[in-house]
Short mmCIF file of all heavy atoms in Angstrom, two decimals:
data_model
loop_
_atom_site.label_atom_id
_atom_site.label_comp_id
_atom_site.label_asym_id
_atom_site.label_seq_id
_atom_site.Cartn_x
_atom_site.Cartn_y
_atom_site.Cartn_z
N ILE A 170 -116.37 114.00 21.64
CA ILE A 170 -115.20 113.66 22.47
C ILE A 170 -113.98 114.46 21.98
O ILE A 170 -113.15 114.89 22.79
CB ILE A 170 -114.94 112.14 22.45
CG1 ILE A 170 -116.19 111.41 22.95
CG2 ILE A 170 -113.73 111.79 23.30
CD1 ILE A 170 -116.09 109.90 22.96
N LEU A 171 -113.92 114.70 20.68
CA LEU A 171 -112.79 115.49 20.17
C LEU A 171 -112.83 116.94 20.68
O LEU A 171 -111.80 117.60 20.76
CB LEU A 171 -112.77 115.48 18.64
CG LEU A 171 -112.23 114.20 17.99
CD1 LEU A 171 -112.36 114.27 16.47
CD2 LEU A 171 -110.77 113.95 18.39
N LYS A 172 -114.03 117.41 21.04
CA LYS A 172 -114.09 118.76 21.62
C LYS A 172 -113.35 118.77 22.96
O LYS A 172 -112.78 119.79 23.36
CB LYS A 172 -115.55 119.18 21.84
CG LYS A 172 -116.23 119.62 20.57
CD LYS A 172 -117.68 119.98 20.86
CE LYS A 172 -118.50 119.82 19.59
NZ LYS A 172 -119.90 119.48 19.85
N LEU A 173 -113.40 117.66 23.68
CA LEU A 173 -112.70 117.56 24.97
C LEU A 173 -111.23 117.23 24.80
O LEU A 173 -110.39 117.71 25.56
CB LEU A 173 -113.30 116.41 25.80
CG LEU A 173 -114.46 116.60 26.71
CD1 LEU A 173 -114.64 115.34 27.53
CD2 LEU A 173 -114.26 117.78 27.62
N VAL A 174 -110.94 116.37 23.85
CA VAL A 174 -109.57 115.88 23.65
C VAL A 174 -109.21 116.07 22.18
O VAL A 174 -109.18 115.12 21.39
CB VAL A 174 -109.45 114.37 24.01
CG1 VAL A 174 -107.99 113.96 24.18
CG2 VAL A 174 -110.26 114.01 25.23
N PRO A 175 -108.93 117.33 21.79
CA PRO A 175 -108.76 117.60 20.34
C PRO A 175 -107.58 116.88 19.72
O PRO A 175 -107.57 116.68 18.50
CB PRO A 175 -108.55 119.13 20.29
CG PRO A 175 -108.72 119.64 21.67
CD PRO A 175 -108.83 118.50 22.63
N SER A 176 -106.61 116.49 20.54
CA SER A 176 -105.44 115.84 19.95
C SER A 176 -105.59 114.33 19.84
O SER A 176 -104.66 113.64 19.41
CB SER A 176 -104.19 116.17 20.78
OG SER A 176 -104.39 115.68 22.09
N ALA A 177 -106.74 113.81 20.21
CA ALA A 177 -106.93 112.35 20.14
C ALA A 177 -106.81 111.86 18.71
O ALA A 177 -107.15 112.58 17.76
CB ALA A 177 -108.30 111.99 20.71
N ARG A 178 -106.29 110.65 18.55
CA ARG A 178 -106.26 110.00 17.25
C ARG A 178 -107.58 109.28 17.04
O ARG A 178 -108.27 108.94 18.02
CB ARG A 178 -105.12 108.98 17.18
CG ARG A 178 -103.75 109.57 17.52
CD ARG A 178 -103.41 110.68 16.54
NE ARG A 178 -102.03 111.13 16.69
CZ ARG A 178 -101.65 112.36 16.92
NH1 ARG A 178 -102.55 113.31 17.09
NH2 ARG A 178 -100.38 112.68 16.99
N VAL A 179 -107.94 109.05 15.80
CA VAL A 179 -109.22 108.37 15.52
C VAL A 179 -109.00 107.18 14.59
O VAL A 179 -108.54 107.37 13.46
CB VAL A 179 -110.25 109.34 14.90
CG1 VAL A 179 -111.58 108.62 14.69
CG2 VAL A 179 -110.46 110.57 15.79
N GLY A 180 -109.26 105.99 15.08
CA GLY A 180 -109.26 104.80 14.23
C GLY A 180 -110.70 104.50 13.82
O GLY A 180 -111.63 105.21 14.21
N HIS A 181 -110.92 103.47 13.02
CA HIS A 181 -112.28 103.10 12.61
C HIS A 181 -112.41 101.58 12.54
O HIS A 181 -111.49 100.90 12.08
CB HIS A 181 -112.62 103.69 11.23
CG HIS A 181 -112.70 105.18 11.23
ND1 HIS A 181 -111.61 105.98 10.99
CD2 HIS A 181 -113.74 106.00 11.46
CE1 HIS A 181 -111.99 107.26 11.08
NE2 HIS A 181 -113.27 107.29 11.36
N ILE A 182 -113.56 101.09 12.98
CA ILE A 182 -113.87 99.67 12.78
C ILE A 182 -115.22 99.60 12.08
O ILE A 182 -116.22 100.14 12.58
CB ILE A 182 -113.93 98.92 14.13
CG1 ILE A 182 -112.53 98.90 14.79
CG2 ILE A 182 -114.40 97.47 13.90
CD1 ILE A 182 -112.47 98.15 16.10
N GLY A 183 -115.22 98.98 10.90
CA GLY A 183 -116.46 98.85 10.14
C GLY A 183 -117.10 97.50 10.44
O GLY A 183 -116.52 96.46 10.17
N LEU A 184 -118.30 97.54 11.02
CA LEU A 184 -119.04 96.32 11.37
C LEU A 184 -120.51 96.60 11.15
O LEU A 184 -120.97 97.70 11.44
CB LEU A 184 -118.90 96.01 12.86
CG LEU A 184 -117.66 95.34 13.43
CD1 LEU A 184 -117.83 95.24 14.95
CD2 LEU A 184 -117.50 93.96 12.85
N TYR A 185 -121.23 95.65 10.64
CA TYR A 185 -122.69 95.79 10.72
C TYR A 185 -123.28 94.47 11.16
O TYR A 185 -122.66 93.41 11.03
CB TYR A 185 -123.31 96.25 9.39
CG TYR A 185 -123.24 95.22 8.28
CD1 TYR A 185 -124.24 94.28 8.11
CD2 TYR A 185 -122.15 95.21 7.40
CE1 TYR A 185 -124.16 93.33 7.10
CE2 TYR A 185 -122.06 94.28 6.39
CZ TYR A 185 -123.07 93.34 6.25
OH TYR A 185 -122.98 92.40 5.26
N ARG A 186 -124.46 94.56 11.70
CA ARG A 186 -125.12 93.37 12.23
C ARG A 186 -126.03 92.80 11.16
O ARG A 186 -126.92 93.49 10.66
CB ARG A 186 -125.96 93.83 13.43
CG ARG A 186 -126.17 92.79 14.45
CD ARG A 186 -126.71 93.43 15.70
NE ARG A 186 -128.04 94.00 15.55
CZ ARG A 186 -128.95 93.96 16.50
NH1 ARG A 186 -128.70 93.39 17.64
NH2 ARG A 186 -130.13 94.52 16.32
N ASP A 187 -125.80 91.54 10.78
CA ASP A 187 -126.66 90.90 9.80
C ASP A 187 -128.08 90.83 10.38
O ASP A 187 -128.26 90.34 11.49
CB ASP A 187 -126.13 89.49 9.49
CG ASP A 187 -126.96 88.81 8.42
OD1 ASP A 187 -128.08 88.33 8.75
OD2 ASP A 187 -126.50 88.76 7.28
N HIS A 188 -129.06 91.33 9.60
CA HIS A 188 -130.40 91.44 10.17
C HIS A 188 -131.04 90.08 10.45
O HIS A 188 -131.88 89.96 11.34
CB HIS A 188 -131.30 92.27 9.25
CG HIS A 188 -131.03 93.74 9.38
ND1 HIS A 188 -131.30 94.45 10.52
CD2 HIS A 188 -130.45 94.63 8.53
CE1 HIS A 188 -130.92 95.71 10.38
NE2 HIS A 188 -130.39 95.85 9.17
N GLU A 189 -130.64 89.06 9.69
CA GLU A 189 -131.21 87.71 9.91
C GLU A 189 -130.55 87.01 11.09
O GLU A 189 -131.20 86.56 12.02
CB GLU A 189 -131.02 86.84 8.65
CG GLU A 189 -131.72 87.36 7.41
CD GLU A 189 -133.23 87.37 7.60
OE1 GLU A 189 -133.75 86.44 8.23
OE2 GLU A 189 -133.88 88.34 7.15
N THR A 190 -129.20 86.95 11.03
CA THR A 190 -128.48 86.15 12.03
C THR A 190 -128.10 86.94 13.28
O THR A 190 -127.74 86.36 14.30
CB THR A 190 -127.17 85.60 11.43
OG1 THR A 190 -126.32 86.73 11.14
CG2 THR A 190 -127.43 84.82 10.14
N LEU A 191 -128.14 88.28 13.17
CA LEU A 191 -127.68 89.20 14.23
C LEU A 191 -126.18 89.08 14.48
O LEU A 191 -125.65 89.64 15.45
CB LEU A 191 -128.45 89.01 15.54
CG LEU A 191 -129.96 89.23 15.51
CD1 LEU A 191 -130.55 89.12 16.92
CD2 LEU A 191 -130.30 90.59 14.93
N GLN A 192 -125.46 88.35 13.61
CA GLN A 192 -124.01 88.22 13.77
C GLN A 192 -123.31 89.43 13.15
O GLN A 192 -123.74 89.93 12.11
CB GLN A 192 -123.50 86.95 13.09
CG GLN A 192 -124.00 85.66 13.73
CD GLN A 192 -123.67 85.62 15.21
OE1 GLN A 192 -122.52 85.81 15.61
NE2 GLN A 192 -124.68 85.41 16.05
N PRO A 193 -122.21 89.88 13.76
CA PRO A 193 -121.48 91.02 13.18
C PRO A 193 -120.72 90.62 11.92
O PRO A 193 -120.16 89.53 11.86
CB PRO A 193 -120.51 91.41 14.29
CG PRO A 193 -120.35 90.21 15.12
CD PRO A 193 -121.61 89.40 15.01
N VAL A 194 -120.75 91.50 10.92
CA VAL A 194 -120.01 91.28 9.68
C VAL A 194 -119.01 92.42 9.59
O VAL A 194 -119.40 93.59 9.63
CB VAL A 194 -120.96 91.32 8.46
CG1 VAL A 194 -120.17 91.08 7.17
CG2 VAL A 194 -122.08 90.32 8.62
N ASP A 195 -117.70 92.12 9.50
CA ASP A 195 -116.75 93.23 9.50
C ASP A 195 -116.30 93.57 8.09
O ASP A 195 -116.19 92.71 7.22
CB ASP A 195 -115.56 92.95 10.42
CG ASP A 195 -114.74 91.76 10.00
OD1 ASP A 195 -115.31 90.66 9.96
OD2 ASP A 195 -113.56 91.93 9.72
N TYR A 196 -116.08 94.87 7.85
CA TYR A 196 -115.71 95.32 6.51
C TYR A 196 -114.60 96.35 6.51
O TYR A 196 -114.11 96.74 5.46
CB TYR A 196 -116.94 95.85 5.75
CG TYR A 196 -117.66 97.00 6.43
CD1 TYR A 196 -117.31 98.33 6.19
CD2 TYR A 196 -118.71 96.75 7.31
CE1 TYR A 196 -117.97 99.37 6.81
CE2 TYR A 196 -119.38 97.78 7.93
CZ TYR A 196 -119.01 99.09 7.67
OH TYR A 196 -119.67 100.12 8.29
N TYR A 197 -114.14 96.82 7.68
CA TYR A 197 -113.06 97.82 7.68
C TYR A 197 -112.37 97.84 9.03
O TYR A 197 -113.02 97.69 10.08
CB TYR A 197 -113.62 99.22 7.38
CG TYR A 197 -112.53 100.24 7.17
CD1 TYR A 197 -111.82 100.28 5.98
CD2 TYR A 197 -112.20 101.14 8.18
CE1 TYR A 197 -110.78 101.19 5.80
CE2 TYR A 197 -111.18 102.06 8.00
CZ TYR A 197 -110.48 102.08 6.81
OH TYR A 197 -109.46 102.97 6.64
N PHE A 198 -111.04 98.04 9.02
CA PHE A 198 -110.31 98.16 10.29
C PHE A 198 -109.08 99.03 10.08
O PHE A 198 -108.27 98.74 9.21
CB PHE A 198 -109.86 96.78 10.80
CG PHE A 198 -109.15 96.86 12.13
CD1 PHE A 198 -109.86 96.90 13.30
CD2 PHE A 198 -107.76 96.94 12.18
CE1 PHE A 198 -109.22 97.00 14.53
CE2 PHE A 198 -107.11 97.05 13.40
CZ PHE A 198 -107.84 97.08 14.58
N LYS A 199 -108.94 100.09 10.84
CA LYS A 199 -107.74 100.93 10.78
C LYS A 199 -107.54 101.63 12.12
O LYS A 199 -108.41 102.38 12.58
CB LYS A 199 -107.92 101.98 9.67
CG LYS A 199 -106.68 102.83 9.44
CD LYS A 199 -105.66 102.08 8.62
CE LYS A 199 -104.39 102.90 8.47
NZ LYS A 199 -103.32 102.14 7.83
N VAL A 200 -106.43 101.35 12.77
CA VAL A 200 -106.08 102.05 14.02
C VAL A 200 -104.59 102.40 13.95
O VAL A 200 -103.87 101.82 13.13
CB VAL A 200 -106.37 101.21 15.29
CG1 VAL A 200 -107.84 100.86 15.41
CG2 VAL A 200 -105.52 99.95 15.33
N PRO A 201 -104.11 103.30 14.80
CA PRO A 201 -102.68 103.64 14.78
C PRO A 201 -101.81 102.41 15.02
O PRO A 201 -102.20 101.49 15.75
CB PRO A 201 -102.52 104.65 15.93
CG PRO A 201 -103.88 105.19 16.15
CD PRO A 201 -104.85 104.10 15.80
N GLY A 202 -100.63 102.40 14.44
CA GLY A 202 -99.75 101.23 14.48
C GLY A 202 -99.27 100.85 15.87
O GLY A 202 -99.19 99.67 16.19
N ASP A 203 -98.98 101.84 16.72
CA ASP A 203 -98.41 101.55 18.04
C ASP A 203 -99.52 101.30 19.07
O ASP A 203 -99.54 101.89 20.16
CB ASP A 203 -97.51 102.70 18.48
CG ASP A 203 -98.17 104.05 18.25
OD1 ASP A 203 -99.34 104.06 17.81
OD2 ASP A 203 -97.52 105.08 18.50
N ALA A 204 -100.42 100.39 18.73
CA ALA A 204 -101.63 100.20 19.54
C ALA A 204 -101.32 99.80 20.98
O ALA A 204 -102.05 100.18 21.90
CB ALA A 204 -102.53 99.15 18.88
N GLY A 205 -100.25 99.05 21.17
CA GLY A 205 -99.94 98.55 22.51
C GLY A 205 -99.61 99.65 23.51
O GLY A 205 -99.69 99.44 24.72
N GLU A 206 -99.27 100.83 23.01
CA GLU A 206 -98.85 101.91 23.93
C GLU A 206 -99.96 102.93 24.17
O GLU A 206 -99.73 103.97 24.79
CB GLU A 206 -97.64 102.62 23.34
CG GLU A 206 -96.42 101.73 23.24
CD GLU A 206 -95.40 102.30 22.28
OE1 GLU A 206 -95.08 103.49 22.41
OE2 GLU A 206 -94.96 101.55 21.38
N ARG A 207 -101.14 102.68 23.63
CA ARG A 207 -102.18 103.71 23.69
C ARG A 207 -103.37 103.31 24.56
O ARG A 207 -103.63 102.13 24.75
CB ARG A 207 -102.71 103.99 22.27
CG ARG A 207 -101.70 104.67 21.40
CD ARG A 207 -102.24 104.87 20.00
NE ARG A 207 -101.22 105.48 19.19
CZ ARG A 207 -101.01 106.79 19.13
NH1 ARG A 207 -101.79 107.63 19.78
NH2 ARG A 207 -100.05 107.28 18.38
N ASP A 208 -104.10 104.34 25.02
CA ASP A 208 -105.40 104.12 25.65
C ASP A 208 -106.46 104.25 24.57
O ASP A 208 -106.48 105.25 23.84
CB ASP A 208 -105.65 105.17 26.73
CG ASP A 208 -104.82 104.90 27.97
OD1 ASP A 208 -105.12 103.93 28.66
OD2 ASP A 208 -103.85 105.65 28.20
N PHE A 209 -107.35 103.27 24.47
CA PHE A 209 -108.40 103.28 23.46
C PHE A 209 -109.77 103.50 24.09
O PHE A 209 -110.08 102.89 25.12
CB PHE A 209 -108.45 101.95 22.72
CG PHE A 209 -107.34 101.77 21.72
CD1 PHE A 209 -106.13 101.22 22.11
CD2 PHE A 209 -107.50 102.18 20.41
CE1 PHE A 209 -105.09 101.08 21.20
CE2 PHE A 209 -106.47 102.03 19.49
CZ PHE A 209 -105.26 101.48 19.88
N LEU A 210 -110.56 104.37 23.47
CA LEU A 210 -111.99 104.45 23.79
C LEU A 210 -112.74 103.91 22.59
O LEU A 210 -112.72 104.53 21.51
CB LEU A 210 -112.42 105.90 24.07
CG LEU A 210 -111.80 106.62 25.27
CD1 LEU A 210 -112.45 108.00 25.44
CD2 LEU A 210 -111.95 105.80 26.55
N LEU A 211 -113.36 102.75 22.75
CA LEU A 211 -114.15 102.15 21.68
C LEU A 211 -115.58 102.69 21.81
O LEU A 211 -116.15 102.68 22.91
CB LEU A 211 -114.12 100.62 21.84
CG LEU A 211 -114.87 99.80 20.82
CD1 LEU A 211 -114.28 99.96 19.42
CD2 LEU A 211 -114.83 98.31 21.22
N LEU A 212 -116.15 103.16 20.70
CA LEU A 212 -117.41 103.90 20.77
C LEU A 212 -118.52 103.25 19.95
O LEU A 212 -118.31 102.94 18.76
CB LEU A 212 -117.20 105.33 20.23
CG LEU A 212 -115.98 106.10 20.73
CD1 LEU A 212 -115.84 107.42 19.98
CD2 LEU A 212 -116.11 106.34 22.23
N ASP A 213 -119.66 103.08 20.55
CA ASP A 213 -120.85 102.64 19.83
C ASP A 213 -122.04 102.98 20.72
O ASP A 213 -122.04 102.58 21.90
CB ASP A 213 -120.79 101.12 19.57
CG ASP A 213 -121.85 100.68 18.55
OD1 ASP A 213 -122.94 101.26 18.53
OD2 ASP A 213 -121.55 99.75 17.79
N PRO A 214 -123.04 103.69 20.22
CA PRO A 214 -124.14 104.06 21.12
C PRO A 214 -124.89 102.85 21.68
O PRO A 214 -125.47 102.93 22.75
CB PRO A 214 -125.08 104.89 20.24
CG PRO A 214 -124.33 105.22 19.00
CD PRO A 214 -123.20 104.25 18.87
N MET A 215 -124.91 101.71 20.94
CA MET A 215 -125.76 100.60 21.35
C MET A 215 -124.96 99.34 21.63
O MET A 215 -124.15 98.91 20.81
CB MET A 215 -126.80 100.28 20.25
CG MET A 215 -127.56 101.49 19.75
SD MET A 215 -128.41 102.42 21.05
CE MET A 215 -129.84 101.41 21.36
N LEU A 216 -125.22 98.73 22.78
CA LEU A 216 -124.66 97.41 23.11
C LEU A 216 -125.86 96.48 23.29
O LEU A 216 -126.51 96.50 24.33
CB LEU A 216 -123.83 97.51 24.40
CG LEU A 216 -123.28 96.21 24.97
CD1 LEU A 216 -122.38 95.49 23.98
CD2 LEU A 216 -122.52 96.48 26.27
N ALA A 217 -126.16 95.73 22.24
CA ALA A 217 -127.39 94.91 22.27
C ALA A 217 -127.07 93.45 22.56
O ALA A 217 -126.96 93.06 23.72
CB ALA A 217 -128.13 95.09 20.94
N THR A 218 -126.84 92.62 21.52
CA THR A 218 -126.44 91.22 21.80
C THR A 218 -124.98 91.17 22.26
O THR A 218 -124.53 90.15 22.79
CB THR A 218 -126.55 90.34 20.55
OG1 THR A 218 -125.61 90.79 19.57
CG2 THR A 218 -127.96 90.38 19.96
N GLY A 219 -124.24 92.23 21.97
CA GLY A 219 -122.82 92.26 22.33
C GLY A 219 -121.92 91.73 21.22
O GLY A 219 -120.69 91.84 21.32
N GLY A 220 -122.52 91.17 20.17
CA GLY A 220 -121.71 90.58 19.09
C GLY A 220 -120.76 91.60 18.46
O GLY A 220 -119.57 91.30 18.24
N SER A 221 -121.26 92.80 18.16
CA SER A 221 -120.42 93.81 17.51
C SER A 221 -119.29 94.25 18.44
O SER A 221 -118.13 94.37 18.01
CB SER A 221 -121.26 95.04 17.12
OG SER A 221 -122.34 94.65 16.31
N ALA A 222 -119.62 94.50 19.69
CA ALA A 222 -118.59 94.97 20.63
C ALA A 222 -117.51 93.91 20.84
O ALA A 222 -116.31 94.22 20.84
CB ALA A 222 -119.24 95.35 21.97
N VAL A 223 -117.92 92.65 21.01
CA VAL A 223 -116.93 91.58 21.22
C VAL A 223 -116.03 91.47 19.99
O VAL A 223 -114.80 91.38 20.11
CB VAL A 223 -117.63 90.24 21.52
CG1 VAL A 223 -116.64 89.08 21.47
CG2 VAL A 223 -118.30 90.29 22.90
#
Side-chain angles (χ1 to χ4, degrees):
I170 302 179
L171 283 176
K172 282 179 205 151
L173 272 189
V174 196
S176 61
R178 305 300 189 235
V179 183
H181 294 89
I182 295 182
L184 280 178
Y185 69 89
R186 207 167 66 143
D187 183 283
H188 283 293
E189 298 297 322
T190 65
L191 300 185
Q192 293 305 307
V194 180
D195 62 300
Y196 58 90
Y197 188 76
F198 182 84
K199 185 79 183 173
V200 299
D203 46 4
E206 296 162 49
R207 291 177 182 275
D208 285 289
F209 284 89
L210 296 185
L211 181 64
L212 313 174
D213 193 326
M215 310 305 282
L216 174 59
T218 65
S221 305
V223 169

